[in-house]
Amino acid sequence: MTTEFNELLPVSSEDKAQIWIIGSREQITHLMNEFYVRNIASDRLLFTPIIPCPFANGKYMTMLER
């Protein structure tokens, strides 16, 4: 990521860790299911809704907050 983008991200030491998944809708859905099956995520509702990725044309993204 660029320095300018990093400066826009509000990060504090108290924030929870995040896992960002970026790819096609099918890839994201597959990885969300895999994270659930492997108990990385205890519930699929812990993922944010799948949205278009603002910095990668044609890609989508979701985030898991741990």
Side-chain angles (χ1 to χ4, degrees):
M1 285 197 238
T2 65
T3 304
E4 295 86 17
F5 187 71
N6 286 335
E7 290 172 356
L8 295 173
L9 293 173
V11 179
S12 72
S13 60
E14 299 172 2
D15 285 340
K16 295 179 181 179
Q18 300 172 349
I19 299 172
W20 290 31
I21 303 173
I22 300 170
S24 69
R25 283 186 171 274
E26 293 78 23
Q27 291 170 326
I28 291 173
T29 303
H30 176 76
L31 285 170
M32 289 170 67
N33 290 333
E34 187 174 335
F35 280 22
Y36 176 72
V37 168
R38 293 180 184 223
N39 291 324
I40 295 171
S42 59
D43 193 347
R44 288 184 184 94
L45 294 175
L46 297 174
F47 290 93
T48 61
I50 297 174
I51 60 170
C53 189
F55 48 84
N57 290 335
K59 299 288 184 177
Y60 295 87
M61 65 183 280
T62 187
M63 183 186 65
L64 170 64
E65 197 169 77
R66 301 269 314 219

